[in-house]
Every structure is written in C-alpha cells, then in structure tokens.
Amino acid sequence: MWQKRFAILQRDGAVDNWDDLRVFLAVARDESLSAAGRRLRMDAATVGRRVARLEESLGAPLFAKSPQGYALTEAGTRLVTFAEEAEQAASQAAEALQGRAEGLSGQIRIGAPDGCANFLLPQVCAAIAEGNPDLDVQIVALPRVVNLSRREADMAIAVSPPSAGRLVVQKITDYRLHLAASADYLAGHPPIRGPQDLRGHRIVGYIPDMIFDKELDYLAELGLDRVPLASNSVAVQFHWLRQGAGLGIVHDFALPAAPGLRRVLPEVISLSRSFYLVRHADDRRLERQTRFAEALVSGMRGELARLEALAQGDSRLSGT
C-alpha cells in the first residue's frame, strides 16, 4: 500500500508532505521549472527550491538538467510511480470528504483535436456547465495527441484508440466528413463531375508531415498528393474554405456553422471516423470525473447527431 510506504518516508524525514510530491510530479511531466511553475501557479525559483529540498531529503538526485530541460534520473523514475499513487489517493480523499454533491464542482480539463474542440465541445461543455455552476471546464485544443500520462488533461478525445499506456478507452460515436467548398468558389471554377476533376482545383488540407494520426490523412484516400493551402489546424482550413480559397474535407457537424459551404460529390466522396474518450486507468475511481465523463459522452452523441441532421437536411448541401 502506498500509505504504508509514504508513512515510512515521512517517519524517516524523506518526504515532508504531499505537496513536495506534487511539485516533483509537475517538473517530471513538464520537464521544466518554468512550465511546472505555471502549472502550479508558483515562480520557477520556488519550484527549484522545492525540488532541491526533496532531493536533499531523499539523498538522491531526481533530475538531470540539460539544454533540453529536466530529465528524470533513475531515482526520479522510481519515485514517479509512488508519487502518482499518492496523487490518486489525495484526489480520492478529497472527493470522499466532499461527499457526493448534487452538482459537479472543481476544474476538469479536456484535450481534443481542434475540429472537435472548435465545433462540438463548446456547446456540449457549456450545457454541462450551465447545470453545474461550481464546475470549471477547460478545453485544450491541440493538433496532436494529448499526453494523459503527463497530465496535460484529465481526459481526452481521440480519433484513434490508443494501444499503449495505462488508459481506459470508450468509443463515443461515429461521425461523417465530406468534401466541401463555398458556393462562390464553385461558381467561379470549373465544374466537378467526378473525382477525376479534383486535380484541376486548389486543395485545402493538413500539412502532410504534421498529420499526427493516420485517420486524419483524408486526402491520401482521394489520391491527392499536393496541398497548396495547408495548415495543422482544422479551424484555419475551415476559414479558408469559407473564404472561397479552395476545396477541402469538412466534418459534417461543422457545416451548420458555415451556411455558405456546399458539399461536393457527397454520393461519391464520404468518409467516416470515430471519436473515443480516453482516461487514465486510475481515474476510474474518481466519481467526479466519471460523472463528468458520462455527461460528456451523452452530450457529444446528442449534439453530433443534431448537427449532422441539420447538415443532411439542408438542401443547399446536397452537392454540385
């Protein structure tokens, strides 16, 4: 049991309190005193002193400093597992003391790819927050996989289920994507009667070498290897399309936010992907996070179905 090991360390004076381990974990995850300080809301010098105090009490260096940042030593790596157990126990103890409240409270941070973060999560999380006034929700929109092991977020939305790490994965729902362009772009460029006509048009998409998940390599499925207008951000791509810059793949659930966009060859080019909720395995014991996750999954399923139905029912989106 971690409590017994922690008690021995406390008895021997090796660890003064949980707060020392909290500072240690922040540096281990962020690999930087300044970044850890921002996470903990304390200055970098204080973080450095706390780490030095912990190293002195343990009698071993926990980090090796280099130009790349703070890397864990062998002793530091061993301490991480123990510190994470203490972190989980501290969270569980806080929840037990608070008891089961009628509403959710505290802070929960969600990491998500920016398409989901821009066009789906805001309204879902706003609805959850509306019913839980003491809850603070943070959405981290990242054009990469969110690292839960480093606690970049409490939970994450992914487009591929991870296969490594102590993680729990739940499929949320499937979603649809189609090729789209603005009505102005389509009116001012050659007609598109089939996939063979796409090469005569300006394509909007991801920067090829920055695609962080194979499920996002949409254009490869269409045989398009040149992307004249590229960004690692879905939001940037979306605004290019709205402005009539070219053709690109768009989430159906984003289409209602841009009345000027039209689906192109929808009967021929139609993609399907899935969203997954990813959580750290130990967090299953945290009732507050579990209740939030249930509300999030339910809300995402309902909102995505609503938005896709709007896109499907809009005659203007029926294609060219």
Side-chain angles (χ1 to χ4, degrees):
M1 295 287 290
W2 78 266
Q3 292 95 333
K4 183 177 180 180
R5 298 203 299 272
F6 188 52
I8 292 172
L9 286 172
Q10 286 186 307
R11 183 197 65 194
D12 295 342
V15 177
D16 290 340
N17 51 49
W18 151 242
D19 210 41
D20 288 339
L21 294 178
R22 185 171 70 95
V23 172
F24 162 74
L25 277 177
V27 178
R29 289 165 177 164
D30 293 323
E31 300 179 347
S32 161
L33 297 183
S34 57
R38 289 191 293 272
R39 179 195 291 260
L40 298 167
R41 297 185 180 180
M42 57 177 70
D43 62 83
T46 300
V47 174
R49 287 194 296 270
R50 297 286 290 277
V51 169
R53 184 176 73 178
L54 182 59
E55 289 179 325
E56 183 179 358
S57 67
L58 291 171
L62 301 175
F63 296 99
K65 186 178 180 181
S66 73
Q68 287 72 43
Y70 279 67
L72 287 166
T73 61
E74 183 179 350
T77 300
R78 290 199 301 268
L79 185 60
V80 164
T81 300
F82 169 78
E84 288 181 337
E85 291 176 3
E87 180 182 51
Q88 286 295 319
S91 297
Q92 290 173 349
E95 287 198 357
L97 290 173
Q98 291 172 357
R100 183 185 177 97
E102 288 299 320
L104 295 167
S105 61
Q107 175 186 295
I108 291 184
R109 178 177 293 179
I110 313 163
D114 69 333
C116 176
N118 275 281
F119 301 106
L120 193 57
L121 284 185
Q123 56 269 39
V124 172
C125 292
I128 296 173
E130 181 68 23
N132 298 275
D134 294 325
L135 177 67
D136 297 336
V137 181
Q138 299 179 348
I139 299 174
V140 181
L142 292 175
R144 61 173 174 80
V145 176
V146 175
N147 192 326
L148 292 182
S149 297
R150 294 178 60 181
R151 295 295 175 175
E152 291 183 336
D154 296 304
M155 57 189 71
I157 309 297
V159 293
S160 287
S163 57
R166 297 185 62 253
L167 302 171
V168 176
V169 182
Q170 175 186 1
K171 183 177 177 179
I172 301 173
T173 188
D174 297 326
Y175 61 95
R176 309 292 301 180
L177 307 97
H178 287 88
L179 191 67
S182 73
D184 289 343
Y185 176 87
L186 294 172
H189 292 79
I192 304 171
R193 300 184 178 88
Q196 70 278 0
D197 296 325
L198 296 179
R199 290 191 175 275
H201 289 263
R202 190 163 54 241
I203 301 299
V204 175
Y206 280 105
I207 299 172
D209 62 353
M210 296 186 73
I211 295 174
F212 63 90
D213 190 301
K214 61 180 176 56
E215 297 293 339
L216 303 179
D217 196 5
Y218 313 126
L219 299 180
E221 293 188 27
L222 306 182
L224 299 172
D225 52 9
R226 180 170 177 256
V227 189
L229 292 177
S231 173
N232 66 335
S233 166
V234 168
V236 172
Q237 297 173 37
F238 185 77
H239 288 301
W240 262 332
L241 296 175
R242 290 183 66 183
Q243 293 164 11
L247 293 160
I249 295 294
V250 178
H251 303 81
D252 277 15
F253 61 73
L255 288 171
L261 289 183
R262 305 287 183 268
R263 290 193 295 192
V264 177
L265 302 177
E267 302 303 322
V268 178
I269 298 174
S270 180
L271 307 179
S272 178
R273 296 293 188 268
S274 303
F275 282 134
Y276 298 87
L277 180 66
V278 185
R279 300 176 62 193
H280 197 282
D282 293 334
D283 291 349
R284 288 178 299 178
R285 297 192 291 265
L286 300 178
E287 182 198 30
R288 183 178 67 96
Q289 285 197 25
T290 297
R291 291 169 60 200
F292 179 87
E294 291 170 352
L296 181 69
V297 169
S298 176
M300 284 185 64
R301 287 172 177 168
E303 181 64 4
L304 194 144
R306 183 186 75 85
L307 293 172
E308 288 196 342
L310 284 176
Q312 185 66 31
D314 190 338
S315 61
R316 296 171 303 177
L317 298 175
S318 60
T320 59

PDB file of all heavy atoms in Angstrom, residues 180-214:
ATOM      1  N   ALA A 180     -15.979  19.717 -49.364  1.00  0.00           N
ATOM      2  CA  ALA A 180     -16.840  20.900 -49.402  1.00  0.00           C
ATOM      3  C   ALA A 180     -16.066  22.098 -49.924  1.00  0.00           C
ATOM      4  O   ALA A 180     -14.829  22.137 -49.910  1.00  0.00           O
ATOM      5  CB  ALA A 180     -17.392  21.194 -48.009  1.00  0.00           C
ATOM      6  N   ALA A 181     -16.826  23.070 -50.389  1.00  0.00           N
ATOM      7  CA  ALA A 181     -16.275  24.340 -50.861  1.00  0.00           C
ATOM      8  C   ALA A 181     -17.373  25.388 -50.749  1.00  0.00           C
ATOM      9  O   ALA A 181     -18.562  25.055 -50.616  1.00  0.00           O
ATOM     10  CB  ALA A 181     -15.777  24.234 -52.299  1.00  0.00           C
ATOM     11  N   SER A 182     -16.997  26.658 -50.826  1.00  0.00           N
ATOM     12  CA  SER A 182     -18.009  27.709 -50.761  1.00  0.00           C
ATOM     13  C   SER A 182     -18.753  27.806 -52.091  1.00  0.00           C
ATOM     14  O   SER A 182     -18.228  27.440 -53.161  1.00  0.00           O
ATOM     15  CB  SER A 182     -17.356  29.048 -50.432  1.00  0.00           C
ATOM     16  OG  SER A 182     -16.648  29.534 -51.558  1.00  0.00           O
ATOM     17  N   ALA A 183     -19.975  28.310 -52.018  1.00  0.00           N
ATOM     18  CA  ALA A 183     -20.765  28.493 -53.240  1.00  0.00           C
ATOM     19  C   ALA A 183     -20.054  29.425 -54.205  1.00  0.00           C
ATOM     20  O   ALA A 183     -20.080  29.223 -55.429  1.00  0.00           O
ATOM     21  CB  ALA A 183     -22.147  29.044 -52.878  1.00  0.00           C
ATOM     22  N   ASP A 184     -19.380  30.457 -53.682  1.00  0.00           N
ATOM     23  CA  ASP A 184     -18.657  31.404 -54.538  1.00  0.00           C
ATOM     24  C   ASP A 184     -17.506  30.717 -55.268  1.00  0.00           C
ATOM     25  O   ASP A 184     -17.277  30.957 -56.458  1.00  0.00           O
ATOM     26  CB  ASP A 184     -18.118  32.564 -53.702  1.00  0.00           C
ATOM     27  CG  ASP A 184     -19.223  33.497 -53.212  1.00  0.00           C
ATOM     28  OD1 ASP A 184     -20.333  33.431 -53.781  1.00  0.00           O
ATOM     29  OD2 ASP A 184     -18.985  34.256 -52.262  1.00  0.00           O
ATOM     30  N   TYR A 185     -16.774  29.855 -54.541  1.00  0.00           N
ATOM     31  CA  TYR A 185     -15.659  29.146 -55.192  1.00  0.00           C
ATOM     32  C   TYR A 185     -16.196  28.260 -56.311  1.00  0.00           C
ATOM     33  O   TYR A 185     -15.652  28.245 -57.425  1.00  0.00           O
ATOM     34  CB  TYR A 185     -14.892  28.303 -54.178  1.00  0.00           C
ATOM     35  CG  TYR A 185     -13.797  27.485 -54.826  1.00  0.00           C
ATOM     36  CD1 TYR A 185     -12.534  28.014 -55.028  1.00  0.00           C
ATOM     37  CD2 TYR A 185     -14.049  26.187 -55.290  1.00  0.00           C
ATOM     38  CE1 TYR A 185     -11.535  27.278 -55.663  1.00  0.00           C
ATOM     39  CE2 TYR A 185     -13.062  25.448 -55.925  1.00  0.00           C
ATOM     40  CZ  TYR A 185     -11.805  26.002 -56.109  1.00  0.00           C
ATOM     41  OH  TYR A 185     -10.836  25.279 -56.751  1.00  0.00           O
ATOM     42  N   LEU A 186     -17.235  27.503 -56.030  1.00  0.00           N
ATOM     43  CA  LEU A 186     -17.778  26.576 -57.025  1.00  0.00           C
ATOM     44  C   LEU A 186     -18.323  27.311 -58.247  1.00  0.00           C
ATOM     45  O   LEU A 186     -18.183  26.829 -59.382  1.00  0.00           O
ATOM     46  CB  LEU A 186     -18.889  25.732 -56.387  1.00  0.00           C
ATOM     47  CG  LEU A 186     -18.413  24.763 -55.285  1.00  0.00           C
ATOM     48  CD1 LEU A 186     -19.605  24.133 -54.587  1.00  0.00           C
ATOM     49  CD2 LEU A 186     -17.493  23.693 -55.853  1.00  0.00           C
ATOM     50  N   ALA A 187     -18.906  28.489 -58.027  1.00  0.00           N
ATOM     51  CA  ALA A 187     -19.453  29.253 -59.151  1.00  0.00           C
ATOM     52  C   ALA A 187     -18.359  29.824 -60.039  1.00  0.00           C
ATOM     53  O   ALA A 187     -18.574  30.033 -61.243  1.00  0.00           O
ATOM     54  CB  ALA A 187     -20.341  30.381 -58.623  1.00  0.00           C
ATOM     55  N   GLY A 188     -17.190  30.051 -59.485  1.00  0.00           N
ATOM     56  CA  GLY A 188     -16.128  30.692 -60.251  1.00  0.00           C
ATOM     57  C   GLY A 188     -15.061  29.759 -60.781  1.00  0.00           C
ATOM     58  O   GLY A 188     -14.039  30.217 -61.298  1.00  0.00           O
ATOM     59  N   HIS A 189     -15.268  28.441 -60.646  1.00  0.00           N
ATOM     60  CA  HIS A 189     -14.261  27.471 -61.086  1.00  0.00           C
ATOM     61  C   HIS A 189     -14.922  26.365 -61.912  1.00  0.00           C
ATOM     62  O   HIS A 189     -16.139  26.207 -61.897  1.00  0.00           O
ATOM     63  CB  HIS A 189     -13.525  26.889 -59.883  1.00  0.00           C
ATOM     64  CG  HIS A 189     -12.651  27.890 -59.188  1.00  0.00           C
ATOM     65  ND1 HIS A 189     -13.143  28.834 -58.316  1.00  0.00           N
ATOM     66  CD2 HIS A 189     -11.303  28.096 -59.255  1.00  0.00           C
ATOM     67  CE1 HIS A 189     -12.146  29.580 -57.870  1.00  0.00           C
ATOM     68  NE2 HIS A 189     -11.024  29.155 -58.420  1.00  0.00           N
ATOM     69  N   PRO A 190     -14.114  25.590 -62.631  1.00  0.00           N
ATOM     70  CA  PRO A 190     -14.661  24.543 -63.492  1.00  0.00           C
ATOM     71  C   PRO A 190     -15.536  23.569 -62.709  1.00  0.00           C
ATOM     72  O   PRO A 190     -15.268  23.280 -61.536  1.00  0.00           O
ATOM     73  CB  PRO A 190     -13.410  23.849 -64.048  1.00  0.00           C
ATOM     74  CG  PRO A 190     -12.350  24.899 -63.992  1.00  0.00           C
ATOM     75  CD  PRO A 190     -12.632  25.687 -62.762  1.00  0.00           C
ATOM     76  N   PRO A 191     -16.575  23.037 -63.328  1.00  0.00           N
ATOM     77  CA  PRO A 191     -17.479  22.101 -62.644  1.00  0.00           C
ATOM     78  C   PRO A 191     -16.761  20.825 -62.228  1.00  0.00           C
ATOM     79  O   PRO A 191     -15.786  20.401 -62.852  1.00  0.00           O
ATOM     80  CB  PRO A 191     -18.562  21.823 -63.683  1.00  0.00           C
ATOM     81  CG  PRO A 191     -17.925  22.140 -64.997  1.00  0.00           C
ATOM     82  CD  PRO A 191     -16.980  23.276 -64.733  1.00  0.00           C
ATOM     83  N   ILE A 192     -17.270  20.219 -61.145  1.00  0.00           N
ATOM     84  CA  ILE A 192     -16.690  18.977 -60.618  1.00  0.00           C
ATOM     85  C   ILE A 192     -17.732  17.879 -60.804  1.00  0.00           C
ATOM     86  O   ILE A 192     -18.719  17.806 -60.087  1.00  0.00           O
ATOM     87  CB  ILE A 192     -16.316  19.126 -59.133  1.00  0.00           C
ATOM     88  CG1 ILE A 192     -15.362  20.312 -58.941  1.00  0.00           C
ATOM     89  CG2 ILE A 192     -15.672  17.843 -58.610  1.00  0.00           C
ATOM     90  CD1 ILE A 192     -15.122  20.668 -57.499  1.00  0.00           C
ATOM     91  N   ARG A 193     -17.501  17.031 -61.798  1.00  0.00           N
ATOM     92  CA  ARG A 193     -18.462  15.967 -62.101  1.00  0.00           C
ATOM     93  C   ARG A 193     -18.035  14.622 -61.539  1.00  0.00           C
ATOM     94  O   ARG A 193     -18.828  13.692 -61.456  1.00  0.00           O
ATOM     95  CB  ARG A 193     -18.649  15.871 -63.617  1.00  0.00           C
ATOM     96  CG  ARG A 193     -19.180  17.163 -64.246  1.00  0.00           C
ATOM     97  CD  ARG A 193     -19.448  16.978 -65.731  1.00  0.00           C
ATOM     98  NE  ARG A 193     -19.999  18.188 -66.336  1.00  0.00           N
ATOM     99  CZ  ARG A 193     -19.266  19.168 -66.837  1.00  0.00           C
ATOM    100  NH1 ARG A 193     -17.923  19.070 -66.812  1.00  0.00           N
ATOM    101  NH2 ARG A 193     -19.836  20.242 -67.366  1.00  0.00           N
ATOM    102  N   GLY A 194     -16.769  14.522 -61.160  1.00  0.00           N
ATOM    103  CA  GLY A 194     -16.260  13.272 -60.617  1.00  0.00           C
ATOM    104  C   GLY A 194     -14.909  13.502 -59.965  1.00  0.00           C
ATOM    105  O   GLY A 194     -14.304  14.580 -60.115  1.00  0.00           O
ATOM    106  N   PRO A 195     -14.385  12.510 -59.229  1.00  0.00           N
ATOM    107  CA  PRO A 195     -13.093  12.651 -58.562  1.00  0.00           C
ATOM    108  C   PRO A 195     -11.963  13.044 -59.507  1.00  0.00           C
ATOM    109  O   PRO A 195     -10.999  13.704 -59.093  1.00  0.00           O
ATOM    110  CB  PRO A 195     -12.846  11.261 -57.959  1.00  0.00           C
ATOM    111  CG  PRO A 195     -14.215  10.687 -57.787  1.00  0.00           C
ATOM    112  CD  PRO A 195     -15.015  11.206 -58.954  1.00  0.00           C
ATOM    113  N   GLN A 196     -12.062  12.670 -60.783  1.00  0.00           N
ATOM    114  CA  GLN A 196     -11.003  12.999 -61.738  1.00  0.00           C
ATOM    115  C   GLN A 196     -10.867  14.508 -61.947  1.00  0.00           C
ATOM    116  O   GLN A 196      -9.804  14.981 -62.392  1.00  0.00           O
ATOM    117  CB  GLN A 196     -11.268  12.295 -63.088  1.00  0.00           C
ATOM    118  CG  GLN A 196     -12.459  12.834 -63.864  1.00  0.00           C
ATOM    119  CD  GLN A 196     -13.789  12.273 -63.390  1.00  0.00           C
ATOM    120  OE1 GLN A 196     -13.827  11.466 -62.458  1.00  0.00           O
ATOM    121  NE2 GLN A 196     -14.867  12.677 -64.039  1.00  0.00           N
ATOM    122  N   ASP A 197     -11.918  15.262 -61.636  1.00  0.00           N
ATOM    123  CA  ASP A 197     -11.879  16.715 -61.837  1.00  0.00           C
ATOM    124  C   ASP A 197     -11.211  17.456 -60.683  1.00  0.00           C
ATOM    125  O   ASP A 197     -10.936  18.654 -60.797  1.00  0.00           O
ATOM    126  CB  ASP A 197     -13.303  17.260 -62.007  1.00  0.00           C
ATOM    127  CG  ASP A 197     -13.983  16.707 -63.257  1.00  0.00           C
ATOM    128  OD1 ASP A 197     -13.275  16.508 -64.267  1.00  0.00           O
ATOM    129  OD2 ASP A 197     -15.205  16.466 -63.207  1.00  0.00           O
ATOM    130  N   LEU A 198     -10.937  16.784 -59.595  1.00  0.00           N
ATOM    131  CA  LEU A 198     -10.409  17.470 -58.411  1.00  0.00           C
ATOM    132  C   LEU A 198      -9.010  18.030 -58.637  1.00  0.00           C
ATOM    133  O   LEU A 198      -8.639  19.052 -58.059  1.00  0.00           O
ATOM    134  CB  LEU A 198     -10.391  16.518 -57.211  1.00  0.00           C
ATOM    135  CG  LEU A 198     -11.758  16.020 -56.728  1.00  0.00           C
ATOM    136  CD1 LEU A 198     -11.599  15.076 -55.552  1.00  0.00           C
ATOM    137  CD2 LEU A 198     -12.647  17.204 -56.340  1.00  0.00           C
ATOM    138  N   ARG A 199      -8.220  17.381 -59.468  1.00  0.00           N
ATOM    139  CA  ARG A 199      -6.834  17.821 -59.662  1.00  0.00           C
ATOM    140  C   ARG A 199      -6.749  19.183 -60.349  1.00  0.00           C
ATOM    141  O   ARG A 199      -5.707  19.820 -60.328  1.00  0.00           O
ATOM    142  CB  ARG A 199      -6.046  16.773 -60.446  1.00  0.00           C
ATOM    143  CG  ARG A 199      -5.805  15.510 -59.639  1.00  0.00           C
ATOM    144  CD  ARG A 199      -4.809  14.583 -60.294  1.00  0.00           C
ATOM    145  NE  ARG A 199      -4.521  13.434 -59.447  1.00  0.00           N
ATOM    146  CZ  ARG A 199      -3.613  13.422 -58.480  1.00  0.00           C
ATOM    147  NH1 ARG A 199      -2.900  14.512 -58.241  1.00  0.00           N
ATOM    148  NH2 ARG A 199      -3.413  12.332 -57.762  1.00  0.00           N
ATOM    149  N   GLY A 200      -7.834  19.632 -60.920  1.00  0.00           N
ATOM    150  CA  GLY A 200      -7.819  20.960 -61.518  1.00  0.00           C
ATOM    151  C   GLY A 200      -8.238  22.045 -60.550  1.00  0.00           C
ATOM    152  O   GLY A 200      -8.407  23.203 -60.948  1.00  0.00           O
ATOM    153  N   HIS A 201      -8.357  21.703 -59.248  1.00  0.00           N
ATOM    154  CA  HIS A 201      -8.810  22.662 -58.248  1.00  0.00           C
ATOM    155  C   HIS A 201      -7.785  22.818 -57.122  1.00  0.00           C
ATOM    156  O   HIS A 201      -6.959  21.944 -56.885  1.00  0.00           O
ATOM    157  CB  HIS A 201     -10.150  22.215 -57.668  1.00  0.00           C
ATOM    158  CG  HIS A 201     -11.286  22.359 -58.626  1.00  0.00           C
ATOM    159  ND1 HIS A 201     -12.126  23.445 -58.630  1.00  0.00           N
ATOM    160  CD2 HIS A 201     -11.707  21.549 -59.643  1.00  0.00           C
ATOM    161  CE1 HIS A 201     -13.027  23.309 -59.592  1.00  0.00           C
ATOM    162  NE2 HIS A 201     -12.797  22.164 -60.232  1.00  0.00           N
ATOM    163  N   ARG A 202      -7.884  23.963 -56.440  1.00  0.00           N
ATOM    164  CA  ARG A 202      -6.985  24.239 -55.318  1.00  0.00           C
ATOM    165  C   ARG A 202      -7.492  23.501 -54.080  1.00  0.00           C
ATOM    166  O   ARG A 202      -8.644  23.657 -53.678  1.00  0.00           O
ATOM    167  CB  ARG A 202      -6.920  25.743 -55.056  1.00  0.00           C
ATOM    168  CG  ARG A 202      -5.834  26.154 -54.059  1.00  0.00           C
ATOM    169  CD  ARG A 202      -5.531  27.643 -54.133  1.00  0.00           C
ATOM    170  NE  ARG A 202      -6.755  28.440 -53.970  1.00  0.00           N
ATOM    171  CZ  ARG A 202      -7.230  29.271 -54.890  1.00  0.00           C
ATOM    172  NH1 ARG A 202      -6.594  29.400 -56.046  1.00  0.00           N
ATOM    173  NH2 ARG A 202      -8.320  29.967 -54.661  1.00  0.00           N
ATOM    174  N   ILE A 203      -6.624  22.709 -53.468  1.00  0.00           N
ATOM    175  CA  ILE A 203      -6.999  21.854 -52.348  1.00  0.00           C
ATOM    176  C   ILE A 203      -6.535  22.463 -51.023  1.00  0.00           C
ATOM    177  O   ILE A 203      -5.417  22.972 -50.901  1.00  0.00           O
ATOM    178  CB  ILE A 203      -6.396  20.446 -52.510  1.00  0.00           C
ATOM    179  CG1 ILE A 203      -6.879  19.820 -53.827  1.00  0.00           C
ATOM    180  CG2 ILE A 203      -6.763  19.557 -51.331  1.00  0.00           C
ATOM    181  CD1 ILE A 203      -8.384  19.649 -53.935  1.00  0.00           C
ATOM    182  N   VAL A 204      -7.410  22.383 -50.027  1.00  0.00           N
ATOM    183  CA  VAL A 204      -7.118  22.822 -48.661  1.00  0.00           C
ATOM    184  C   VAL A 204      -7.048  21.583 -47.777  1.00  0.00           C
ATOM    185  O   VAL A 204      -7.907  20.689 -47.871  1.00  0.00           O
ATOM    186  CB  VAL A 204      -8.236  23.765 -48.147  1.00  0.00           C
ATOM    187  CG1 VAL A 204      -7.998  24.117 -46.676  1.00  0.00           C
ATOM    188  CG2 VAL A 204      -8.308  25.025 -48.997  1.00  0.00           C
ATOM    189  N   GLY A 205      -6.036  21.499 -46.911  1.00  0.00           N
ATOM    190  CA  GLY A 205      -5.937  20.323 -46.042  1.00  0.00           C
ATOM    191  C   GLY A 205      -4.842  20.459 -45.013  1.00  0.00           C
ATOM    192  O   GLY A 205      -4.322  21.556 -44.763  1.00  0.00           O
ATOM    193  N   TYR A 206      -4.474  19.332 -44.434  1.00  0.00           N
ATOM    194  CA  TYR A 206      -3.411  19.294 -43.423  1.00  0.00           C
ATOM    195  C   TYR A 206      -2.029  19.422 -44.069  1.00  0.00           C
ATOM    196  O   TYR A 206      -1.828  19.014 -45.220  1.00  0.00           O
ATOM    197  CB  TYR A 206      -3.443  17.970 -42.659  1.00  0.00           C
ATOM    198  CG  TYR A 206      -4.483  17.890 -41.571  1.00  0.00           C
ATOM    199  CD1 TYR A 206      -5.643  17.145 -41.744  1.00  0.00           C
ATOM    200  CD2 TYR A 206      -4.298  18.545 -40.352  1.00  0.00           C
ATOM    201  CE1 TYR A 206      -6.597  17.056 -40.746  1.00  0.00           C
ATOM    202  CE2 TYR A 206      -5.244  18.464 -39.351  1.00  0.00           C
ATOM    203  CZ  TYR A 206      -6.390  17.720 -39.547  1.00  0.00           C
ATOM    204  OH  TYR A 206      -7.341  17.646 -38.555  1.00  0.00           O
ATOM    205  N   ILE A 207      -1.082  19.948 -43.304  1.00  0.00           N
ATOM    206  CA  ILE A 207       0.327  19.897 -43.700  1.00  0.00           C
ATOM    207  C   ILE A 207       0.729  18.419 -43.645  1.00  0.00           C
ATOM    208  O   ILE A 207       0.635  17.794 -42.578  1.00  0.00           O
ATOM    209  CB  ILE A 207       1.198  20.730 -42.745  1.00  0.00           C
ATOM    210  CG1 ILE A 207       0.762  22.197 -42.781  1.00  0.00           C
ATOM    211  CG2 ILE A 207       2.679  20.585 -43.104  1.00  0.00           C
ATOM    212  CD1 ILE A 207       1.439  23.064 -41.731  1.00  0.00           C
ATOM    213  N   PRO A 208       1.133  17.827 -44.762  1.00  0.00           N
ATOM    214  CA  PRO A 208       1.323  16.365 -44.804  1.00  0.00           C
ATOM    215  C   PRO A 208       2.222  15.804 -43.711  1.00  0.00           C
ATOM    216  O   PRO A 208       1.884  14.774 -43.108  1.00  0.00           O
ATOM    217  CB  PRO A 208       1.928  16.143 -46.198  1.00  0.00           C
ATOM    218  CG  PRO A 208       1.357  17.254 -47.024  1.00  0.00           C
ATOM    219  CD  PRO A 208       1.326  18.444 -46.095  1.00  0.00           C
ATOM    220  N   ASP A 209       3.352  16.458 -43.427  1.00  0.00           N
ATOM    221  CA  ASP A 209       4.267  15.884 -42.442  1.00  0.00           C
ATOM    222  C   ASP A 209       3.898  16.244 -41.003  1.00  0.00           C
ATOM    223  O   ASP A 209       4.630  15.911 -40.066  1.00  0.00           O
ATOM    224  CB  ASP A 209       5.717  16.275 -42.732  1.00  0.00           C
ATOM    225  CG  ASP A 209       5.950  17.780 -42.652  1.00  0.00           C
ATOM    226  OD1 ASP A 209       4.971  18.539 -42.498  1.00  0.00           O
ATOM    227  OD2 ASP A 209       7.121  18.201 -42.748  1.00  0.00           O
ATOM    228  N   MET A 210       2.751  16.901 -40.813  1.00  0.00           N
ATOM    229  CA  MET A 210       2.289  17.224 -39.461  1.00  0.00           C
ATOM    230  C   MET A 210       0.984  16.520 -39.124  1.00  0.00           C
ATOM    231  O   MET A 210       0.330  16.855 -38.131  1.00  0.00           O
ATOM    232  CB  MET A 210       2.147  18.740 -39.289  1.00  0.00           C
ATOM    233  CG  MET A 210       3.458  19.499 -39.405  1.00  0.00           C
ATOM    234  SD  MET A 210       3.306  21.264 -39.027  1.00  0.00           S
ATOM    235  CE  MET A 210       3.113  21.201 -37.241  1.00  0.00           C
ATOM    236  N   ILE A 211       0.598  15.557 -39.942  1.00  0.00           N
ATOM    237  CA  ILE A 211      -0.603  14.771 -39.637  1.00  0.00           C
ATOM    238  C   ILE A 211      -0.253  13.813 -38.502  1.00  0.00           C
ATOM    239  O   ILE A 211       0.584  12.929 -38.659  1.00  0.00           O
ATOM    240  CB  ILE A 211      -1.082  14.002 -40.883  1.00  0.00           C
ATOM    241  CG1 ILE A 211      -1.524  14.982 -41.969  1.00  0.00           C
ATOM    242  CG2 ILE A 211      -2.209  13.052 -40.530  1.00  0.00           C
ATOM    243  CD1 ILE A 211      -1.890  14.335 -43.292  1.00  0.00           C
ATOM    244  N   PHE A 212      -0.896  14.000 -37.343  1.00  0.00           N
ATOM    245  CA  PHE A 212      -0.492  13.259 -36.143  1.00  0.00           C
ATOM    246  C   PHE A 212      -1.238  11.941 -35.963  1.00  0.00           C
ATOM    247  O   PHE A 212      -0.933  11.171 -35.057  1.00  0.00           O
ATOM    248  CB  PHE A 212      -0.675  14.125 -34.892  1.00  0.00           C
ATOM    249  CG  PHE A 212      -2.106  14.516 -34.603  1.00  0.00           C
ATOM    250  CD1 PHE A 212      -2.903  13.721 -33.804  1.00  0.00           C
ATOM    251  CD2 PHE A 212      -2.631  15.679 -35.133  1.00  0.00           C
ATOM    252  CE1 PHE A 212      -4.214  14.078 -33.532  1.00  0.00           C
ATOM    253  CE2 PHE A 212      -3.937  16.055 -34.858  1.00  0.00           C
ATOM    254  CZ  PHE A 212      -4.737  15.249 -34.061  1.00  0.00           C
ATOM    255  N   ASP A 213      -2.233  11.684 -36.824  1.00  0.00           N
ATOM    256  CA  ASP A 213      -2.979  10.435 -36.731  1.00  0.00           C
ATOM    257  C   ASP A 213      -3.348  10.000 -38.144  1.00  0.00           C
ATOM    258  O   ASP A 213      -3.851  10.810 -38.927  1.00  0.00           O
ATOM    259  CB  ASP A 213      -4.242  10.630 -35.878  1.00  0.00           C
ATOM    260  CG  ASP A 213      -4.932   9.319 -35.535  1.00  0.00           C
ATOM    261  OD1 ASP A 213      -5.320   8.599 -36.471  1.00  0.00           O
ATOM    262  OD2 ASP A 213      -5.093   9.026 -34.335  1.00  0.00           O
ATOM    263  N   LYS A 214      -3.132   8.753 -38.468  1.00  0.00           N
ATOM    264  CA  LYS A 214      -3.408   8.258 -39.820  1.00  0.00           C
ATOM    265  C   LYS A 214      -4.864   8.456 -40.215  1.00  0.00           C
ATOM    266  O   LYS A 214      -5.181   8.564 -41.409  1.00  0.00           O
ATOM    267  CB  LYS A 214      -3.027   6.782 -39.930  1.00  0.00           C
ATOM    268  CG  LYS A 214      -3.796   5.864 -38.993  1.00  0.00           C
ATOM    269  CD  LYS A 214      -3.377   4.418 -39.150  1.00  0.00           C
ATOM    270  CE  LYS A 214      -4.068   3.505 -38.152  1.00  0.00           C
ATOM    271  NZ  LYS A 214      -5.538   3.571 -38.205  1.00  0.00           N
TER     272      LYS A 214
END
